[in-house]
Structure formats: structure tokens, C-alpha cells
């Protein structure tokens, strides 16, 4: 984990694409997309059917490593509205154990929240904790501090003739009264990614003075500039 200061709070980014909030003893993960493989299988594209197991194993490991007592998921928790009904017994048991062992809160995305309700934990469309809004998708024009997911940001740069393409968080510093905001990388095993410099991400993070990609790299927080407000 590497430390990250955000909105007056101390956090830590993990190598597994989660964010830990020590003061709240809370682990934040975005875009689990559980049962994505089984969704594609129903549509004729066969993928190994173990993505939910792998994702939940990674959540369990992050909980053990951080000592988290709370888990907040930031939407797109299952890949589709029937995802929770397709969990095989082993993955369903893993999820039930996790939601019993922690104060687990599903922040809902653009899917039916009934699927999360079948899987333990509690449900919220969004929350505000210590002045920081937790929601699925960054809201353009938001002036409060905000943590979100949805975009699956990935850093795509070339450094010393090396092409780097890695999941990252996108961090903004506010402009025109705006607070800091962060989009977390996707956590799920079968999640793709959007270029962190994509105009859609930049637009969602406004108002801002600067927008950077951040990720753990060799034990420290690496920061790559994505956009700067014109002087």
C-alpha cells in the first residue's frame, strides 16, 4: 500500500486496485462486475467461469492485509441484473462470509439493486462520510469531495520507450470552489479499462484545476499529469 492524502483525509492505495481509509477502517472497491463470465457465456462467448471467485478472493485478501472492518463497493457490483442468481455455490458462500464478517455496503450503479439485496450487506444509492460523497459515477459540477468508479481508468503512457498500460486512480484538485475528487480503478477480475486521459473522464471531473493519474509504483505513489486548467 502507498499513502495518499485526499480531501483532508489519509488513505492508502493498494496494489490490488482498492482504496483503504484507515480512520474509518474502510476498504473501498469499485466495479466488481461479478458474474461477467457467465453473462458472456449466455451470449455465446465462453470464458473461464471463475471470475467471481477470483474477485472475491482478492477482496478477502485486501481485507486481511488492511484490517478493514467496513467495505464500500462503488457500483457495477454484478455485471447484469441477474448476476446474483448465477453465483455458483462456492462463490456465493464466499460472498456471504464476507458480508457477514464486515459492515458491507453496496453503493448501487446503473443496475437493479435487488441483486445486491440477495447477497447480504446493506444498500445505498450514495453516501456522505466525513464530507466525502461515495457514489458510482462522478457527477460533473460536484463541488464536494467525491469518490466514485464507473470509468475503469487505465494509465496509457510511453516512458523511455516502454509502453505502460495499468489500472490507475484519477485524482482532481478542485477549481472554482470544487473539492478534490477521485475515480477508483476497476477491481473485478474481468474488467477492461478506459484511457485515463479520455475526454469523458476529464469532463466528469470538472470543475478542476488539475487532473492526474495516480498508482502505486515501486512502493511509492506515482503521479502522471492528465490535464491542467489554462492559466
Amino acid at each position: 500500500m502507498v499513502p495518499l492524502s485526499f480531501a483532508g483525509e489519509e488513505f492508502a492505495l493498494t496494489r490490488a486496485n482498492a482504496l483503504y481509509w484507515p480512520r474509518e477502517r474502510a476498504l473501498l472497491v469499485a466495479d466488481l462486475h461479478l458474474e461477467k463470465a457467465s453473462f458472456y457465456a449466455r451470449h455465446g462467448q465462453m470464458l473461464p467461469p471463475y471470475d467471481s471467485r477470483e474477485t472475491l478472493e482478492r477482496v478477502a485478501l485486501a481485507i486481511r492485509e488492511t484490517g478493514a472492518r467496513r467495505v464500500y463497493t462503488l457500483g457495477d457490483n454484478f455485471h447484469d441484473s441477474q448476476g446474483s442468481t448465477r453465483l455458483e455455490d462456492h462463490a456465493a458462500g464466499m460472498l456471504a462470509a464476507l458480508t457477514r464478517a464486515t459492515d458491507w455496503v453496496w453503493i448501487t450503479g446503473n443496475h437493479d439493486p435487488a441483486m445486491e439485496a440477495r447477497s447480504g450487506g446493506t444498500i445505498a444509492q450514495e453516501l456522505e462520510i466525513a464530507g466525502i460523497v461515495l457514489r458510482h459515477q462522478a457527477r460533473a459540477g460536484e463541488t464536494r469531495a467525491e469518490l466514485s468508479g464507473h470509468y475503469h481508468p487505465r494509465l496509457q503512457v510511453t516512458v523511455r520507450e516502454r509502453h505502460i498500460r495499468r489500472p490507475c486512480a484519477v485524482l482532481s484538485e478542485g477549481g472554482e470552489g470544487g473539492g478534490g475528487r477521485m475515480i477508483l480503478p476497476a477491481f473485478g477480475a474481468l474488467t477492461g479499462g478506459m484511457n485515463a486521459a479520455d475526454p469523458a473522464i476529464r469532463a466528469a471531473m470538472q470543475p478542476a484545476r488539475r487532473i492526474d493519474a495516480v498508482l502505486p509504483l515501486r512502493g511509492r505513489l506515482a503521479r502522471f499529469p492528465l490535464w491542467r486548467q489554462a492559466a
Side-chain angles (χ1 to χ4, degrees):
M1 295 190 296
V2 298
L4 170 62
S5 296
F6 171 75
E9 296 279 336
E10 294 303 316
F11 291 84
L13 274 173
T14 78
R15 289 180 297 173
N17 301 329
L19 184 69
Y20 181 57
W21 192 350
R23 187 170 70 84
E24 296 292 324
R25 299 194 72 179
L27 186 75
L28 295 100
V29 291
D31 299 282
L32 300 178
H33 283 271
L34 298 170
E35 290 305 301
K36 182 174 182 177
S38 63
F39 172 83
Y40 276 89
R42 283 190 166 192
H43 294 80
Q45 184 175 346
M46 305 308 293
L47 296 172
Y50 304 115
D51 58 305
S52 294
R53 287 192 191 189
E54 181 180 345
T55 297
L56 294 171
E57 285 170 356
R58 292 173 61 214
V59 173
L61 179 60
I63 291 171
R64 289 195 298 271
E65 289 180 340
T66 60
R69 293 293 179 264
R70 297 186 180 94
V71 175
Y72 297 102
T73 72
L74 299 183
D76 281 2
N77 304 306
F78 289 85
H79 190 68
D80 68 288
S81 61
Q82 298 301 312
S84 63
T85 67
R86 297 196 305 275
L87 278 172
E88 45 90 15
D89 289 345
H90 183 80
M94 293 172 65
L95 181 55
L98 289 170
T99 58
R100 286 195 304 266
T102 61
D103 179 9
W104 186 291
V105 181
W106 303 99
I107 304 294
T108 56
N110 46 344
H111 297 303
D112 178 4
M115 58 186 170
E116 287 88 352
R118 291 190 287 264
S119 302
T122 59
I123 294 174
Q125 289 188 332
E126 63 179 54
L127 292 174
E128 185 171 348
I129 302 171
I132 301 175
V133 178
L134 311 184
R135 60 166 58 108
H136 175 56
Q137 185 172 353
R139 185 172 298 169
E142 177 63 80
T143 57
R144 295 170 293 176
E146 175 192 73
L147 290 169
S148 63
H150 181 68
Y151 288 100
H152 305 199
R154 284 181 178 264
L155 176 68
Q156 297 179 199
V157 295
T158 301
V159 178
R160 297 177 184 174
E161 299 184 352
R162 288 184 59 201
H163 298 290
I164 298 174
R165 189 173 185 269
R166 296 185 184 177
C168 66
V170 175
L171 183 64
S172 76
E173 294 182 5
E176 300 178 4
R181 299 162 72 198
M182 191 187 325
I183 298 173
L184 299 190
F187 191 88
L190 283 182
T191 50
M194 173 185 282
N195 187 342
D198 192 280
I201 293 178
R202 185 174 67 211
M205 297 291 270
Q206 298 298 330
R209 290 192 304 271
R210 57 185 290 169
I211 302 174
D212 294 324
V214 295
L215 71 160
L217 189 64
R218 296 177 182 174
R220 64 181 181 85
L221 186 72
R223 185 183 292 258
F224 296 82
L226 298 173
W227 178 85
R228 296 293 184 265
Q229 187 180 48

